[in-house]
Amino acid sequence: RFRATLSLRFHNSSSISELVYTQHNSSYSSVLKSSAQNFRLSTPSTPTPLVIITPLHASHIQATVHCCKKHGLQLRIRSGGHDFEGLSYTTTYEIPFVVIDLLNLRSVRINVEKGTAWVESGAKVGELYYEIAKRSRTLAFPAGIGHTVGVGGHLSGGGFGLLFRKYGLAADNVIDARLIDVKERILDRKSMGKDLFWAIRGGGGGSFGIVLAWKLKLVAVPAIVTVFTVSKTLEQNATKLVHRWQYIAHKLPKEIHMSIGISRVKSNENEKMTIQASFRAVFLGSIYELLPLMEEKFPQLGIVKEDCFEMGWAESNIYSTQFPIGVPLETLLNRNRKSILSKLFFKAKSDYVKQPIPEITFEGLWTKFYKEEAKSAIMVFVAYGGKMDEILETETPFPHRAGNLYSISYVVDWEEEENKNSEKFMSWIRRIHNYMTPYVSKSPREVYVNFRDLDIGTNEINDKENSHEQAKIWGIKYFKNNFDRLVHVKTMIGPENFFRHEQSVPPL
C-alpha cells in the first residue's frame, strides 16, 4: 500500500523502481549496508526498514513524508550512516519504519569570491573538503576529520574538528539552509524563522525536519599548515605528560588543535604490554612558527623539527585520520574506505573535563586497558579553549563551550567473530565511564550529541504523557539548558511529533 501511494506521488513513476528498495529487491541489502558504519547495528537480529528510498530531488522526499504520515510509518533519515547508535537506519522499537537515504543528494557548490558553499546533506565531509581544496589553498571549512561522515548529520549535531578552536563548530558557520518540514514545505532561513534555524544547527538530527542543503561560510587558512604526532609510552613518562597537557592545551593560541590518543601497545623491549599516549597537533602556520611556540608552552614534550611535517589544510585532515603522509587528495573522495571508526563493531561514549584530573587517576585508568577486551580500545582527549570560550552556550543548541578544558571520547571495538560476546566489550566501556564519574562534568554529566549514547536514556515509543520528562533525562546531558528551547521549537513546528526516534526532541 505504501509503495502504491508513493508511485502516485512520484511524478516520474519510471524512476520509482530505481529509487525505492523493498525487502524483496535484490539490491536492498547492499543499499542498507552501504553506509551502515557500526556493524554492531547491522546483525541478522537488527530491525530493518520496510523500504529504503534514495531520492534524486526534493519532491521524492516530500512524497515519502506524505506517504509515511498517511500510513502511520516512522521515518529515519540517513546522510552518512555514522550515527553511533544507528538511529539513522535502524530502531530499537518493534515498529515498521522507512529510511530515506540521501546518498544521491550530494552536490557541493563553492563560491570562492564570496567565501561560501552550498552543500547537500548527503555529501560526505571529505567531498566538501576536496571541492574547497581544488579551488583554493587558503579557504577551508571547520568540520570534522572523518571524511566519510555525512554533512547532514555532522552539522545537525554541531560538528567539531581541527579548526574549532579558531573558528568554532561546523554548525556555528552555517548561514542558511533548505529544510523540508512536517507539512512537506521547503523552507529557507527566512521562511523557517529564527527559532527553527537555531534548532537545526546543533539540536541533533531527526527531530525537526529533513535538511536538504546547507549554506556554509568558508574560513581563511594559511596555504601551509604544520602537523606532528609524538607517541610516548608509560616508560617514557607518558602519565606526567598527559597530566601536564591538561594545564596547557586549552590555553594555546587558537591556531593550534591538540589532542591525545590513548591506547595499549606492545613495548619494544620483551613484547610486554604498555600504554601509549600519542600527542597530535595541527597548527595553522609553518614549522618555524610552531617550534618556538611548543618550546615555550610545552617544552616537556620535546618537539623537534624532525617530528613536524608541512602540508595543505585539506591534507592535514587526511593525516589526522592516520593515513600515511603523501596519499593523494582524492583519498577524501573514497566513500567506502575504512575510517578510524567505520565498518567495525563498536560502542562509544563521551565526556567533558572542567578541572585537571589527578595523575593517580590516570594511573588507575591505565590498568583497565590491560583487560583482554580493551585490546583495540582507545580514548581521545581534544583540547577546547580558543574561540569555543567566546561563543555563548545559547548561541546554538550545542552548549559545551567556555569552562571545558577538553573533551574525552571512549571507543571499544571488536571483530565479527567476537560479536556473540559483545556484552563483555560493552561492559568494559561502561566500567571505564563509571570510573571517570568523579573527574568529569557534573549536574548534568555532559555528552556530545554526535557521539550518541543510548545508555543515557531513550524516549518511549508512544508515551505521550511522560515524553517530555523522559527526554529531559538524556536531553540536558546533550543540550544543558538549551533543551527547553529545543522542546519549545518542536512544540511550535511539530506538535504531532512526526519526526521522532529514540533520542529525538519531543513536543510539550
Side-chain angles (χ1 to χ4, degrees):
R1 288 208 331 280
F2 175 80
R3 196 187 153 105
T5 315
L6 201 58
S7 54
L8 292 172
R9 311 276 309 183
F10 267 40
H11 302 308
N12 176 2
S13 56
S14 66
S15 67
I16 192 163
S17 57
E18 293 149 38
L19 305 179
V20 179
Y21 299 86
T22 66
Q23 294 176 337
H24 308 299
N25 185 303
S26 59
S27 305
Y28 171 90
S29 178
S30 62
V31 172
L32 179 61
K33 288 193 169 139
S34 64
S35 65
Q37 304 290 344
N38 188 348
F39 283 177
R40 173 167 70 86
L41 305 159
S42 48
T43 66
S45 62
T46 310
T48 54
L50 278 181
V51 180
I52 305 166
I53 320 274
T54 56
L56 287 172
H57 38 81
S59 65
H60 296 150
I61 299 178
Q62 290 165 305
T64 307
V65 169
H66 176 87
C67 297
C68 285
K69 286 191 303 192
K70 180 169 176 170
H71 292 290
L73 295 169
Q74 268 213 356
L75 189 56
R76 301 285 156 126
I77 303 108
R78 176 161 82 172
S79 58
H82 275 269
D83 185 299
F84 281 6
E85 299 283 11
L87 298 188
S88 60
Y89 53 91
T90 183
T91 175
T92 61
Y93 304 143
E94 296 298 313
I95 46 148
F97 68 104
V98 169
V99 166
I100 292 180
D101 192 320
L102 299 171
L103 66 104
N104 294 321
L105 295 172
R106 47 191 243 241
S107 80
V108 179
R109 299 202 315 277
I110 311 288
N111 185 325
V112 174
E113 289 65 44
K114 292 192 169 142
T116 59
W118 268 104
V119 53
E120 288 185 311
S121 281
K124 304 282 174 132
V125 167
E127 292 169 327
L128 170 62
Y129 289 171
Y130 179 79
E131 293 300 328
I132 296 171
K134 239 173 45 178
R135 287 169 178 76
S136 167
R137 297 278 297 168
T138 55
L139 282 176
F141 184 71
I145 58 171
H147 69 270
T148 61
V149 171
V151 164
H154 188 63
L155 291 170
S156 299
F160 73 86
L162 300 177
L163 299 175
F164 85 128
R165 297 185 70 252
K166 174 81 172 169
Y167 291 116
L169 306 173
D172 296 330
N173 292 278
V174 171
I175 49 182
D176 202 345
R178 292 177 65 234
L179 166 122
I180 295 180
D181 73 353
V182 66
K183 297 179 178 146
E184 302 153 47
R185 300 173 301 184
I186 298 179
L187 306 175
D188 63 5
R189 177 175 182 168
K190 193 169 165 222
S191 54
M192 75 176 81
K194 71 176 196 312
D195 285 334
L196 182 51
F197 184 63
W198 174 84
I200 61 173
R201 291 172 301 137
S207 286
F208 303 101
I210 301 168
V211 181
L212 294 168
W214 310 77
K215 187 179 187 185
L216 311 176
K217 177 173 93 233
L218 304 182
V219 299
V221 289
I224 294 293
V225 307
T226 304
V227 301
F228 68 74
T229 303
V230 171
S231 297
K232 301 287 187 187
T233 60
L234 296 188
E235 296 71 19
Q236 296 164 318
N237 224 5
T239 308
K240 281 203 167 3
L241 289 168
V242 170
H243 181 255
R244 183 77 197 116
W245 177 91
Q246 303 177 99
Y247 293 87
I248 296 167
H250 66 103
K251 293 184 188 153
L252 289 169
K254 293 176 183 174
E255 286 69 30
I256 190 162
H257 175 280
M258 272 205 92
S259 64
I260 311 177
I262 310 263
S263 59
R264 175 176 110 191
V265 295
K266 283 198 172 100
S267 68
N268 297 338
E269 332 125 26
N270 64 30
E271 293 284 286
K272 80 172 182 34
M273 289 296 169
T274 186
I275 304 302
Q276 175 175 283
S278 295
F279 295 81
R280 299 196 178 95
V282 176
F283 172 68
L284 300 177
S286 69
I287 290 181
Y288 299 102
E289 295 164 276
L290 176 62
L291 286 175
L293 174 68
M294 293 309 293
E295 181 52 43
E296 182 199 344
K297 304 287 190 194
F298 198 2
Q300 299 88 340
L301 198 54
I303 296 295
V304 294
K305 180 169 176 274
E306 289 66 30
D307 297 321
C308 302
F309 300 91
E310 292 183 338
M311 55 185 67
W313 160 79
E315 287 83 355
S316 73
N317 282 280
I318 304 176
Y319 170 84
S320 297
T321 47
Q322 293 167 36
F323 279 88
I325 284 177
V327 299
L329 198 59
E330 283 65 31
T331 309
L332 290 167
L333 298 176
N334 189 338
R335 295 170 73 90
N336 298 318
R337 162 80 202 215
K338 275 192 182 184
S339 66
I340 300 175
L341 270 190
S342 58
K343 312 299 185 195
L344 293 166
F345 293 77
F346 72 87
K347 172 69 183 171
K349 290 183 166 296
S350 62
D351 262 321
Y352 285 89
V353 177
K354 297 181 188 294
Q355 304 284 331
I357 293 173
E359 234 178 279
I360 191 161
T361 303
F362 288 129
E363 287 166 4
L365 184 60
W366 310 151
T367 62
K368 302 186 180 331
F369 274 82
Y370 292 114
K371 289 267 186 267
E372 195 254 329
E373 55 269 34
K375 62 180 184 296
S376 54
I378 183 164
M379 282 173 72
V380 180
F381 300 174
V382 175
Y384 268 56
K387 178 80 171 174
M388 293 300 279
D389 285 351
E390 299 162 20
I391 300 172
L392 294 176
E393 281 195 3
T394 51
E395 189 75 22
T396 70
F398 179 100
H400 319 289
R401 307 282 187 173
N404 290 302
L405 305 183
Y406 57 100
S407 67
I408 304 181
S409 50
Y410 314 81
V411 183
V412 62
D413 64 62
W414 57 93
E415 300 292 331
E416 186 166 4
E417 56 275 15
E418 299 171 303
N419 197 46
K420 55 183 181 300
N421 300 321
S422 61
E423 215 24 71
K424 84 173 183 192
F425 298 97
M426 304 280 271
S427 160
W428 179 85
I429 198 168
R430 286 168 184 146
R431 290 198 307 275
I432 287 270
H433 193 249
N434 206 23
Y435 172 83
M436 295 297 285
T437 307
Y439 311 104
V440 295
S441 60
K442 297 170 185 57
S443 308
R445 182 172 185 173
E446 297 172 38
V447 184
Y448 174 37
V449 70
N450 273 355
F451 291 168
R452 198 183 291 288
D453 181 5
L454 293 185
D455 289 355
I456 66 172
T458 55
N459 302 335
E460 293 292 324
I461 173 134
N462 275 325
D463 182 7
K464 294 279 193 296
E465 301 307 302
N466 305 314
S467 62
H468 176 252
E469 288 312 302
Q470 276 214 288
K472 195 155 187 159
I473 296 168
W474 56 261
I476 60 166
K477 293 175 181 172
Y478 288 144
F479 305 117
K480 296 173 73 175
N481 293 332
N482 292 334
F483 180 68
D484 289 334
R485 183 172 172 195
L486 288 168
V487 168
H488 167 75
V489 175
K490 182 66 172 265
T491 309
M492 221 166 48
I493 61 132
E496 65 296 306
N497 205 18
F498 171 71
F499 288 108
R500 69 181 192 272
H501 55 69
E502 287 77 349
Q503 283 184 346
S504 59
V505 174
L508 266 178

